[in-house]
Amino acid sequence: MAIGLILGTSRTKSNSRILADALLKGTEHQILDINEISLLDFEDSRHESVPVSLDESSQTLMNFLLEHNVIVIATPIYWYGIPGKLKVLLDRLSHVFRQPDFKKQKPREVIILAVGGDQPRIKGLPLILQFQHIFDFVDIPFQHYVLAEGNKPGDVSYDQRALAEVAWLREYMMKRENYEGQI
Amino acid sequence: MAIGLILGTSRTKSNSRILADALLKGTEHQILDINEISLLDFEDSRHESVPVSLDESSQTLMNFLLEHNVIVIATPIYWYGIPGKLKVLLDRLSHVFRQPDFKKQKPREVIILAVGGDQPRIKGLPLILQFQHIFDFVDIPFQHYVLAEGNKPGDVSYDQRALAEVAWLREYMMKRENYEGQI
Amino acid sequence: MAIGLILGTSRTKSNSRILADALLKGTEHQILDINEISLLDFEDSRHESVPVSLDESSQTLMNFLLEHNVIVIATPIYWYGIPGKLKVLLDRLSHVFRQPDFKKQKPREVIILAVGGDQPRIKGLPLILQFQHIFDFVDIPFQHYVLAEGNKPGDVSYDQRALAEVAWLREYMMKRENYEGQI
Amino acid sequence: MAIGLILGTSRTKSNSRILADALLKGTEHQILDINEISLLDFEDSRHESVPVSLDESSQTLMNFLLEHNVIVIATPIYWYGIPGKLKVLLDRLSHVFRQPDFKKQKPREVIILAVGGDQPRIKGLPLILQFQHIFDFVDIPFQHYVLAEGNKPGDVSYDQRALAEVAWLREYMMKRENYEGQI
């Protein structure tokens, strides 16, 4: 299946979920919900003499990346960056990107939807710059993101610009999938 | 006591610890070690109808901030940003900055020491921009940071520029403490 | 009149002009075209003992800012930043923002349209961060920008996402003008 | 000769000149002073059908880059970015980087010294990010920069941290030159 959605929110009725739904409603997609996996902290074992086997969360992350062509990360912006728990998961990329399987079969695009309460289109840019470096490093194309405004649950429904961008992205994804499906 | 060090590393012989030692050796300071506190994930309860009491980690973070004039955060750069577990702690600022005590008695300066393996002086800048927004928001002055290079444990000892910057920062902190101590 | 367009391009059939037309077609607006003013270099006379009178270009820039509620800057991205000649003009803000008239009667919003050939939505972000600091300093609200892709003249017509964002911005500006017109 | 200094200031007793002197005093180096070249605006002729010959300023810039191993750019920060006249010169890179000579014989390192009056170590970062993209594009290594504080002429002499960083950079350049000289 083509689309995998990583949900970085700890709320059930979250703004980032609303945005993800607007993008993916009616499409076939799978969800990796940060709330449904148990995360011990990432152990930095890059320099251990004995190779460390992938822990459960790293395995979950790797499988999810391998199984989808397009990865959408929908997340609130906490303190101008990636929420802690989502970052604990993404830190596991240190294990994942070393796996031979990952090198052979990466997603061909990643899309970021991020919702923040304090001028997200400006103050969310360090987050986008960080994701640029992350996806450059693991060599997954990243060119589309939406920075949306929302503080209280549901707020994002009033960010008409974000909704227009998501509507455009939805069309873009549909076209791309169909086109490639025909080949 | 004047100086509080927040250690964001999960390694025992870490590069960020080496840098922090170079800055603070022989000074009186206290350490908040991310490894020694147990962190459940941050619950985003900003919009609950009933105010939520501070959990243990939030209380620890708040007390640490209240008790020190200068906060040094020494951390590895994981995936071009704040390590997951440290971010889980810092996300608790959402509880802390709402406390009346915090508003009355903040640290008067924060200093960041960050060690990364991939061109940290360039690719570590989104991290610095993020910290700028964080400390602007909670209104704690932030002007000094060191971006150091290190991958394998001990590497940072070869980053002569970072060590020179830390040596200068050490002098700066000593002068400032003494000067203010005399008043 | 409400809208003033600053054109930062040296081409006649430029991508940034196409984008500006898409935004402003049919509206009443005035244009400050960087090609039609002669620019000597900005002289940094901030610290001269004798106050320096505004040169012609500074006067032109100030009048243009005073006479419009909304300023749109449409510009190519040259070397990941503001084109030299446009920057020579904007450097004159050092004279302009000191004028009492400017403090009393600023534009209430600025919008940036920037077109670049090398991943503008990512590599154009330092330009946006720079504009953020500029407009924070002179205290003019800045929240909307479009980063569009284009290299050869006319290219931008194929950037469907940028065109969708501009279409949204057009609606936003129209609504805002009407609403305020009724008050 | 090894070192070429590009001076981007329009003042004679400028802070960026003071910083450059601290770095290069007693070394053999040549200076390209932005004040001493006459700059017409850059013409964007990338897409003209007839190739355009290098204008005088582009030729000057190219020769300067070809003749030096290390390029130091010392510049004030104007409006959180590159001063207009310096940018008009640097925009000529569009001509220069297409020349076969340039591809064969580039500087092996560029160093930036930038002086600003408004929290340069934080608000000067978009400038550094821009230079990163510029030098990535033309494939010249860039890893060292100093962001110094200064507003009135001479101010930078009080920025002890910047002076310490420059002193370190001076040692670094000397060692590197000698080491390579011996080979």
Side-chain angles (χ1 to χ4, degrees), chain B residues 15 59 87 97 138:
Chain B
N15 283 310
Q59 192 69 57
K87 187 60 170 27
F97 96 97
V138 296

Side-chain angles (χ1 to χ4, degrees), chain D residues 1-181:
Chain D
M1 195 179 57
I3 306 170
L5 169 66
I6 298 179
L7 267 180
T9 177
S10 65
R11 288 180 188 160
T12 46
K13 265 186 60 185
S14 82
N15 283 311
S16 36
R17 182 64 190 261
I18 290 170
L19 223 50
D21 284 347
L23 182 66
L24 299 177
K25 196 177 35 184
T27 68
E28 216 184 321
H29 63 272
Q30 286 184 317
I31 297 178
L32 176 56
D33 184 339
I34 199 76
N35 286 308
E36 291 176 6
I37 55 180
S38 110
L39 285 176
L40 300 172
D41 185 44
F42 166 73
E43 297 295 323
D44 185 348
S45 53
R46 288 174 293 171
H47 305 288
E48 303 293 331
S49 48
V50 182
V52 176
S53 67
L54 286 187
D55 70 357
E56 199 189 315
S57 301
S58 300
Q59 194 68 57
T60 301
L61 177 62
M62 189 174 79
N63 291 345
F64 199 78
L65 295 176
L66 293 183
E67 287 161 8
H68 298 96
N69 293 333
V70 178
I71 294 292
V72 177
I73 301 180
T75 181
I77 304 175
Y78 280 175
W79 290 99
Y80 310 98
I82 300 172
K85 194 172 182 186
L86 177 57
K87 188 59 173 24
V88 171
L89 179 68
L90 293 179
D91 281 348
R92 282 165 163 76
L93 282 171
S94 296
H95 297 322
V96 168
F97 96 96
R98 284 182 170 77
Q99 306 304 313
D101 284 355
F102 179 72
K103 289 177 190 176
K104 281 182 289 187
Q105 186 189 347
K106 285 178 219 178
R108 63 154 195 269
E109 179 167 8
V110 66
I111 289 169
I112 306 291
L113 310 179
V115 186
D118 181 18
Q119 292 182 259
R121 270 182 271 275
I122 300 292
K123 298 190 181 172
L125 295 181
L127 176 89
I128 299 303
L129 294 170
Q130 180 184 1
F131 274 124
Q132 169 207 1
H133 287 313
I134 291 175
F135 295 113
D136 275 2
F137 190 89
V138 298
D139 197 21
I140 300 175
F142 165 52
Q143 59 170 326
H144 286 296
Y145 57 86
V146 175
L147 290 167
E149 187 152 2
N151 211 323
K152 277 173 280 184
D155 269 5
V156 80
S157 310
Y158 302 102
D159 184 343
Q160 297 299 321
R161 175 161 181 185
L163 295 178
E165 290 182 48
V166 166
W168 181 86
L169 263 181
R170 183 177 165 86
E171 267 188 68
Y172 160 83
M173 287 172 71
M174 299 305 109
K175 268 186 218 160
R176 201 172 162 176
E177 290 309 301
N178 287 337
Y179 178 71
E180 300 194 356

Side-chain angles (χ1 to χ4, degrees), chain B residues 147-159:
Chain B
L147 290 166
E149 186 152 3
N151 212 323
K152 276 173 282 183
D155 270 6
V156 81
S157 310
Y158 302 102
D159 184 342

